[in-house]
Amino acid sequence: MPETLSQALAAALPTVLDELAELVAIPSVAAKPDSPMTLCAEKVAELYRKRGLTAQLVPTDGGPTVVYAEDRSAGVEAPTVLFYNHYDVQPAEPFALWESDPWILRRDGDFLYGRGSSDDKGHIACRLLALDALKTLHGGTLPVNVKVLVEGEEEVASVHLVDWIERHRALLAADVTLWEFGGVNAAGQPELICGLRGIATFELRAKTIAHDAHSGVGGTILPNAAWRLVHALASLKGPDERIQIPGHYDLALPATPADLDLLAQLSPELEADLRAEFGVAHFLGEATGTELHRRAIFEPSCTINGLWSGYQGAGVKTVLPAEATAKLDFRLVPDMDPEVVHQSLCAYLADQGFSDIEVVYLGGQRPGRVSPDHPLIQLAAQTAEAVYGTPASIVPLSPVTGPVHPFAVGLGQPIATIGCGYPGARVHAPNENLRVSDLLRGAEHTARFLMALIK
Amino acid sequence: MPETLSQALAAALPTVLDELAELVAIPSVAAKPDSPMTLCAEKVAELYRKRGLTAQLVPTDGGPTVVYAEDRSAGVEAPTVLFYNHYDVQPAEPFALWESDPWILRRDGDFLYGRGSSDDKGHIACRLLALDALKTLHGGTLPVNVKVLVEGEEEVASVHLVDWIERHRALLAADVTLWEFGGVNAAGQPELICGLRGIATFELRAKTIAHDAHSGVGGTILPNAAWRLVHALASLKGPDERIQIPGHYDLALPATPADLDLLAQLSPELEADLRAEFGVAHFLGEATGTELHRRAIFEPSCTINGLWSGYQGAGVKTVLPAEATAKLDFRLVPDMDPEVVHQSLCAYLADQGFSDIEVVYLGGQRPGRVSPDHPLIQLAAQTAEAVYGTPASIVPLSPVTGPVHPFAVGLGQPIATIGCGYPGARVHAPNENLRVSDLLRGAEHTARFLMALIK
């Protein structure tokens, strides 16, 4: 019988790894219409039921189902923790760049490869492993009340989650939300992220003529959809990176002096690591040091995610394209609002003479964050240091996006980013991976944080 | 024994149709590496040898072989005509849109269907039929010296033809070149085209970072290849359609008053036909009438043929692309030069701060034309009217491209577009076809024009 947390984790690990492989084998790509989302939700529910939680699939209003599970046997006097995770994953494309099948979890030493191995099925496994170890150490019960919300469309902007949370406020009430990600930074420090940016995503579509034309015949007389799209895009942001939509920066709160202090404490190696990973000599705006972090996190962005028109094969095809499309995302800092961005983008394009460009809003999320001084952030920093043996890095705002607003602002709950990720995890990219050692440490931290809540 | 040209053509027709079927049955697609190019060249040589010409396969420097044939028995005092044709064809894809096998010539009333039935095996048949009829009427001999050049890579920009012609200038010397196409326009008038535009084709490639990044992490600090490409393209041409490369228009000769007179005589229905086909209310620059024709033909163009970067699937993928590519063609009017365009494009992009954009030159052709007043153009107009019973339409320059420069400028020979095409021939498209009546009229015009040369 294992007597220490480490022993309990080690004993439970083999089964959890098998369960993670089962999750990875289900290609639950929310972006693709025929993905087996419900199958994956059922699997997640089954894994929580195995741990004694009640678990059910609760439908959203048009999106993939939410898995809700709970074990409230710790009683009304005990603290309550909400686990937030997601069972959907990014598309695996481009397949050719994967070193093994993205839907078969492959172990190579400390590394587990597969789509979702980290984001976010690895983090689901991290919570399961923590519950297993806690129950082993506590005679088959949990020391705190646990609620679990696992959604199925985080990778497509959690479109239906905000309403779902609003309709289930009482069900979700907790003292703290354990976020769907967490782990160590490039310097090996456990990272506590106090908030996430928001996002607004769009498709811009140009259609100029009934069908593609011969470029010899039409080049100077027929409107070319690719040129139309290029000019519309160029009007949004020039090489100076400043977004040209009027008022776009008005709601963006600048970093506070306390935020800048925290950014200054971030590892100085982050910069060199980014340079090495992406092979760049200079960052945009020649930013370095704290300014690089400030720019990456506190500056609103406008990114072309994809672009296509006309002929993409080998050699020459002298075609004049009838259609052209771009995908765009805007990252938003507190207190920007994706609905406002949608309206002002449409108004701006029309004003610039591009009312023929169709703007399709693909969804958005509001930004949100908690004060870095919140007592539970400070508690997590203490437990992190105990597990990892090094002080936690507190990040005032993450550059990435997640549905933090309905939790941190809507439910008014602090979030703690306790997890098993690391910077080499290649989330969203080919060869996504999880280190088994990170899985163990993330589960240990999950368990220790839960135990610390009752002290 | 046939006594008139019409009778002679009718007598020779059945054999020539069989020979055309043999040519169509050889899938000589220059764009595909394994196509039976030499087999097709041998067949063409055999057909000319049957008519008493000497014929041989003369290699190019790396491309498909050229077929050269001649019959100089008319003697040194007689005029010499050069037939220029090509035995290669466009790919037949998409096969599903063909109503019958593209490689089996199918007759349906006046129509012959098959890949190459018009472009350009039909025109080879047109010349063979004309030679048959001429020999019948002239006691087994030809009234003029005939030289024949049939190349095998016209559909892939005649890459090796310019050098080949340069090396065989003496061999090819003639009074006039009968061009590889010709026939009637939408109004049924025989069309004499005095020249063709040139072209320069490129791929522009942006590569900014080692691999795709997460748009949340990189949006404001990592250079995005799609944005780089959009800004580079936007620097080439704005919504006003003016190409911004310095000096780009310097070598472009404007339409002369005589050219404008000829354009004004083009069918007024062309404009309504273009509006209907492409569903456009306005052409670029609001051009109409003669100005529409002038703009379509005499204005240099810059067309985006294709564009791609990042994620092109359904829904959202928040990726920051490492690579982005565009295909471009520039149509050139006399006396522009694709090599000059290549150099000035590279210099301009570098000057605009886009030296990181790789410019790949995919090949080009120089424009070329003959004066509409040239006596042999005027002679062709007379013979055309005699054959077709309606005045010829003289087009000062065609908007499309072909290897006219090495003939019209390199060899200094006028070109005459005498042939068997019509606007419904669907060249380069599924269900390409030839009308037998056009084949007969094209051969009659070929024969009459050759006879007229000796008067």
Side-chain angles (χ1 to χ4, degrees):
Chain A
M1 194 69 180
E3 293 190 345
T4 69
L5 183 52
S6 294
Q7 287 171 334
L9 289 165
L13 181 66
T15 300
V16 169
L17 292 184
D18 288 344
E19 291 168 340
L20 176 56
E22 289 179 61
L23 287 172
V24 168
I26 304 172
S28 48
V29 178
K32 299 196 174 184
D34 297 330
S35 296
M37 305 312 289
T38 304
L39 183 72
C40 198
E42 295 279 13
K43 170 58 70 178
V44 171
E46 173 197 321
L47 297 178
Y48 275 104
R49 284 190 201 112
K50 269 180 70 179
R51 272 85 185 170
L53 285 78
T54 58
Q56 54 186 312
L57 272 52
V58 188
T60 59
D61 189 12
T65 188
V66 162
V67 180
Y68 178 76
E70 64 173 29
D71 179 341
R72 300 170 67 177
S73 53
V76 295
E77 301 298 328
T80 299
V81 173
L82 174 64
F83 295 168
Y84 162 62
N85 290 96
H86 61 92
Y87 63 83
D88 64 310
V89 294
Q90 281 278 320
E93 288 87 346
F95 290 107
L97 297 185
W98 283 83
E99 287 169 18
S100 57
D101 188 327
W103 310 117
I104 300 177
L105 190 72
R106 173 174 67 91
R107 181 163 185 174
D108 182 3
D110 195 30
F111 296 87
L112 294 167
Y113 292 92
R115 173 56 85 228
S117 60
S118 178
D119 182 14
D120 190 42
K121 291 168 177 176
H123 283 83
I124 294 173
C126 175
R127 303 298 178 238
L128 295 173
L129 185 55
L131 294 183
D132 286 341
L134 280 171
K135 293 185 79 167
T136 301
L137 296 180
H138 289 81
T141 65
L142 294 174
V144 297
N145 298 305
V146 171
K147 298 179 172 184
V148 178
L149 187 177
V150 189
E151 66 150 324
E153 51 178 353
E154 195 273 345
E155 300 295 4
V156 289
S158 304
V159 177
H160 303 88
L161 188 66
V162 179
D163 283 350
W164 195 96
I165 290 175
E166 198 53 42
R167 287 203 308 278
H168 298 89
R169 290 179 63 89
L171 190 69
L172 300 172
D175 297 291
V176 61
T177 298
L178 289 210
W179 200 246
E180 52 105 357
F181 64 69
V184 294
N185 63 20
Q189 298 169 288
E191 206 169 37
L192 293 168
I193 293 170
C194 301
L196 297 169
R197 298 203 292 183
I199 196 168
T201 60
F202 301 95
E203 212 166 89
L204 301 193
R205 299 177 187 162
K207 179 161 173 66
T208 50
I209 47 180
H211 57 81
D212 288 356
H214 188 301
S215 75
V217 175
T220 48
I221 58 170
L222 292 173
N224 178 322
W227 273 120
R228 224 32 220 152
L229 184 67
V230 161
H231 291 139
L233 289 169
S235 80
L236 290 178
K237 190 173 87 167
D240 67 354
E241 297 289 327
R242 180 83 184 169
I243 298 164
Q244 296 298 318
I245 301 169
H248 189 74
Y249 296 87
D250 288 357
L251 294 175
L253 300 176
T256 65
D259 292 331
L260 293 175
D261 283 348
L262 288 171
L263 293 181
Q265 292 167 35
L266 295 182
S267 163
E269 288 166 21
L270 268 180
E271 187 175 333
D273 290 348
L274 271 176
R275 279 189 213 282
E277 178 177 1
F278 292 105
V280 290
H282 303 280
F283 296 102
L284 294 178
E286 307 288 328
T288 60
T290 303
E291 169 57 13
L292 180 68
H293 296 307
R294 189 205 62 76
R295 184 178 173 114
I297 295 171
F298 285 93
E299 282 290 329
S301 70
C302 172
T303 298
I304 298 174
N305 310 126
L307 197 58
W308 67 100
S309 182
Y311 181 66
Q312 304 184 12
V316 174
K317 185 173 181 185
T318 52
V319 67
L320 187 154
E323 298 183 41
T325 310
K327 286 182 191 279
L328 284 181
D329 79 56
F330 293 79
R331 298 282 171 169
L332 312 177
V333 303
D335 286 326
M336 296 172 80
D337 184 329
E339 298 290 347
V340 172
V341 173
H342 180 197
Q343 288 168 26
S344 44
L345 171 63
C346 292
Y348 175 71
L349 285 174
D351 186 59
Q352 295 290 306
F354 295 109
S355 54
D356 55 316
I357 303 284
E358 185 187 4
V359 177
V360 182
Y361 181 46
L362 299 179
Q365 290 184 330
R366 298 177 71 172
R369 69 173 183 142
V370 183
S371 166
D373 299 328
H374 192 286
L376 287 177
I377 296 283
Q378 296 300 317
L379 178 66
Q382 290 168 28
T383 53
E385 185 164 355
V387 171
Y388 290 86
T390 180
S393 167
I394 298 179
V395 179
L397 184 67
S398 165
V400 304
T401 298
V404 72
H405 189 273
F407 296 93
V409 183
L411 297 175
Q413 292 171 196
I415 60 162
T417 59
I418 292 169
C420 55
Y422 82 111
R426 302 207 168 216
V427 296
H428 296 205
N431 304 310
E432 178 177 352
N433 66 89
L434 169 71
R435 298 188 300 204
V436 177
S437 52
D438 282 326
L439 175 63
L440 284 166
R441 291 192 297 179
E444 181 182 346
H445 190 197
T446 303
R448 279 189 188 251
F449 181 72
L450 265 54
M451 290 189 286
L453 288 172
I454 54 174
K455 276 171 188 162
Chain B
M1 195 69 180
E3 292 190 345
T4 68
L5 183 53
S6 294
Q7 287 171 334
L9 290 165
L13 181 66
T15 301
V16 170
L17 292 185
D18 288 346
E19 290 168 340
L20 176 56
E22 289 179 60
L23 286 172
V24 167
I26 304 172
S28 49
V29 178
K32 299 196 174 182
D34 297 330
S35 297
M37 305 311 289
T38 304
L39 183 71
C40 198
E42 295 280 12
K43 171 57 70 180
V44 171
E46 175 196 321
L47 296 177
Y48 275 102
R49 284 190 202 112
K50 270 181 67 179
R51 272 87 184 167
L53 285 77
T54 59
Q56 55 187 313
L57 273 53
V58 187
T60 58
D61 190 12
T65 188
V66 162
V67 180
Y68 178 76
E70 65 174 28
D71 179 342
R72 299 169 67 178
S73 52
V76 294
E77 301 299 328
T80 299
V81 173
L82 175 64
F83 295 169
Y84 162 61
N85 290 96
H86 60 92
Y87 64 83
D88 65 310
V89 293
Q90 281 278 320
E93 288 86 346
F95 290 109
L97 297 185
W98 284 84
E99 286 169 17
S100 57
D101 188 328
W103 310 116
I104 299 175
L105 190 70
R106 174 175 66 92
R107 183 161 183 175
D108 182 3
D110 194 31
F111 296 88
L112 295 167
Y113 292 92
R115 173 55 84 228
S117 60
S118 178
D119 182 15
D120 192 39
K121 292 169 177 174
H123 283 83
I124 294 174
C126 175
R127 303 297 179 240
L128 295 172
L129 185 55
L131 294 183
D132 286 340
L134 280 171
K135 293 186 80 166
T136 300
L137 295 181
H138 288 81
T141 64
L142 293 175
V144 297
N145 298 304
V146 171
K147 298 178 172 185
V148 178
L149 188 177
V150 189
E151 68 150 324
E153 50 177 356
E154 196 275 344
E155 300 296 3
V156 289
S158 305
V159 176
H160 303 89
L161 187 67
V162 178
D163 283 350
W164 195 95
I165 290 175
E166 198 53 43
R167 288 203 309 277
H168 298 88
R169 289 179 61 88
L171 191 68
L172 300 172
D175 296 290
V176 60
T177 298
L178 290 209
W179 199 247
E180 51 106 357
F181 64 68
V184 294
N185 64 19
Q189 299 169 287
E191 205 169 37
L192 292 168
I193 293 170
C194 300
L196 297 169
R197 297 205 292 184
I199 196 169
T201 60
F202 301 96
E203 213 167 89
L204 300 193
R205 297 177 187 162
K207 179 161 172 68
T208 49
I209 48 180
H211 58 81
D212 287 356
H214 189 300
S215 74
V217 173
T220 48
I221 58 171
L222 291 174
N224 178 323
W227 273 119
R228 257 336 255 169
L229 185 67
V230 161
H231 291 139
L233 289 169
S235 81
L236 291 179
K237 191 172 88 166
D240 67 353
E241 297 289 327
R242 181 85 185 167
I243 298 164
Q244 296 298 318
I245 301 169
H248 189 72
Y249 296 88
D250 288 357
L251 294 175
L253 301 176
T256 65
D259 291 332
L260 294 176
D261 282 349
L262 289 170
L263 293 180
Q265 293 166 34
L266 294 182
S267 163
E269 286 166 20
L270 271 178
E271 186 176 334
D273 290 348
L274 271 176
R275 277 190 215 282
E277 178 176 0
F278 292 105
V280 290
H282 303 280
F283 296 103
L284 294 178
E286 307 287 330
T288 59
T290 302
E291 169 59 12
L292 180 68
H293 295 306
R294 188 204 65 76
R295 185 177 174 114
I297 295 171
F298 284 95
E299 282 290 328
S301 71
C302 173
T303 299
I304 298 175
N305 310 124
L307 197 58
W308 67 99
S309 181
Y311 182 66
Q312 305 184 12
V316 174
K317 185 173 181 184
T318 53
V319 66
L320 187 153
E323 298 182 40
T325 309
K327 287 183 189 281
L328 284 182
D329 80 55
F330 293 80
R331 298 282 172 169
L332 313 177
V333 302
D335 288 327
M336 297 172 81
D337 184 329
E339 297 290 346
V340 172
V341 173
H342 181 197
Q343 288 167 27
S344 44
L345 171 64
C346 292
Y348 175 71
L349 286 173
D351 186 58
Q352 295 290 306
F354 296 109
S355 54
D356 55 315
I357 303 284
E358 184 187 2
V359 177
V360 181
Y361 181 46
L362 299 179
Q365 289 186 331
R366 297 177 73 174
R369 69 168 183 143
V370 183
S371 166
D373 299 327
H374 192 287
L376 288 176
I377 297 284
Q378 294 302 317
L379 179 66
Q382 290 167 27
T383 53
E385 185 165 354
V387 171
Y388 290 86
T390 179
S393 168
I394 298 180
V395 179
L397 185 67
S398 165
V400 303
T401 298
V404 72
H405 187 273
F407 296 94
V409 183
L411 298 176
Q413 293 170 196
I415 61 161
T417 57
I418 291 170
C420 54
Y422 82 111
R426 302 204 171 219
V427 297
H428 295 205
N431 304 310
E432 178 177 352
N433 65 88
L434 170 71
R435 296 188 300 202
V436 177
S437 52
D438 282 326
L439 176 63
L440 283 166
R441 290 193 298 180
E444 182 182 344
H445 190 197
T446 303
R448 280 190 188 249
F449 181 70
L450 266 54
M451 291 189 286
L453 288 173
I454 52 174
K455 277 172 192 163

Coordinates of all heavy atoms in Angstrom, one line a residue, chain A residues 56 121 125 143 172 194 202 233 272 289 294 303 309 337 371 382 439 451:
Chain A
Q56 N -22.2 13.4 -15.8 CA -23.2 13.4 -16.8 C -22.9 14.3 -18.0 O -22.0 15.2 -17.8 CB -24.6 13.8 -16.2 CG -24.5 15.2 -15.5 CD -25.8 15.5 -14.8 OE1 -26.9 15.3 -15.4 NE2 -25.8 15.9 -13.5
K121 N -6.0 16.8 -23.2 CA -6.2 15.5 -22.6 C -5.1 15.1 -21.6 O -5.4 14.4 -20.6 CB -6.3 14.4 -23.7 CG -7.6 14.7 -24.6 CD -7.6 13.9 -25.9 CE -8.9 14.1 -26.6 NZ -9.0 13.5 -27.9
A125 N -5.8 13.9 -17.7 CA -5.1 12.8 -17.1 C -4.4 13.3 -15.8 O -4.4 12.5 -14.8 CB -4.0 12.3 -18.1
P143 N -10.5 14.9 0.1 CA -10.5 15.9 1.2 C -11.3 17.2 1.0 O -11.6 17.9 1.9 CB -9.0 16.2 1.4 CG -8.4 16.0 0.1 CD -9.2 14.9 -0.6
L172 N -21.8 25.5 -10.4 CA -20.4 25.7 -10.6 C -19.7 26.4 -9.5 O -18.5 26.6 -9.5 CB -20.1 26.4 -11.9 CG -20.6 25.7 -13.2 CD1 -20.5 26.6 -14.4 CD2 -19.9 24.4 -13.4
C194 N -2.3 34.8 -14.2 CA -3.4 35.4 -13.5 C -4.6 35.7 -14.4 O -5.6 36.2 -13.9 CB -3.0 36.7 -12.8 SG -1.7 36.3 -11.5
F202 N -12.4 35.8 -37.4 CA -13.1 36.2 -38.6 C -12.7 35.4 -39.8 O -11.5 35.0 -39.9 CB -13.0 37.7 -38.9 CG -13.5 38.5 -37.8 CD1 -12.6 39.0 -36.8 CD2 -14.8 38.8 -37.6 CE1 -13.0 39.8 -35.8 CE2 -15.2 39.6 -36.5 CZ -14.3 40.1 -35.6
L233 N -6.9 43.5 -46.6 CA -6.1 43.1 -45.5 C -5.0 44.2 -45.2 O -4.8 44.6 -44.0 CB -5.4 41.8 -45.8 CG -6.3 40.5 -45.7 CD1 -5.5 39.3 -46.3 CD2 -6.7 40.2 -44.3
A272 N 15.9 34.5 -25.5 CA 16.8 33.7 -26.3 C 16.2 32.4 -26.8 O 16.4 31.9 -27.9 CB 18.1 33.4 -25.4
G289 N 13.8 42.3 -23.8 CA 13.6 42.4 -22.4 C 12.2 42.5 -21.9 O 11.3 41.9 -22.5
R294 N 6.0 42.8 -22.5 CA 4.9 43.7 -22.4 C 4.2 43.7 -23.8 O 3.0 43.6 -23.9 CB 5.3 45.1 -22.1 CG 4.1 46.1 -21.9 CD 4.5 47.5 -22.1 NE 4.9 47.8 -23.5 CZ 4.0 47.9 -24.5 NH1 2.7 47.7 -24.3 NH2 4.4 48.1 -25.7
T303 N -3.8 38.9 -36.4 CA -3.0 37.8 -37.0 C -3.8 37.2 -38.2 O -4.9 36.9 -38.1 CB -2.7 36.7 -36.0 OG1 -1.9 37.2 -35.0 CG2 -1.9 35.6 -36.7
S309 N -6.5 31.4 -52.3 CA -7.1 31.9 -53.6 C -6.5 31.2 -54.7 O -5.3 31.0 -54.7 CB -7.0 33.4 -53.7 OG -7.7 33.9 -54.8
D337 N -13.6 43.9 -26.1 CA -14.8 43.1 -26.2 C -14.9 42.7 -27.7 O -14.9 43.5 -28.6 CB -16.0 44.0 -25.8 CG -17.3 43.2 -25.9 OD1 -17.4 42.2 -26.7 OD2 -18.2 43.5 -25.1
S371 N -6.4 39.5 -9.7 CA -5.2 40.2 -9.2 C -4.1 39.2 -8.8 O -4.4 38.2 -8.2 CB -5.6 41.1 -8.0 OG -4.4 41.5 -7.3
Q382 N 2.9 29.1 -3.0 CA 3.6 28.4 -1.9 C 3.7 26.9 -2.2 O 4.7 26.2 -2.1 CB 2.9 28.6 -0.6 CG 3.0 30.0 0.0 CD 2.0 30.2 1.1 OE1 1.6 29.3 1.8 NE2 1.7 31.4 1.3
L439 N 3.8 15.3 -16.0 CA 2.5 14.8 -15.6 C 2.5 14.4 -14.1 O 1.5 14.8 -13.4 CB 2.1 13.5 -16.4 CG 0.8 12.8 -16.1 CD1 -0.4 13.7 -16.3 CD2 0.7 11.5 -16.9
M451 N -5.0 19.7 -0.9 CA -4.8 19.5 0.6 C -4.6 20.8 1.3 O -5.0 21.0 2.4 CB -3.7 18.5 0.7 CG -4.0 17.1 0.3 SD -2.8 15.8 0.7 CE -1.5 16.2 -0.4

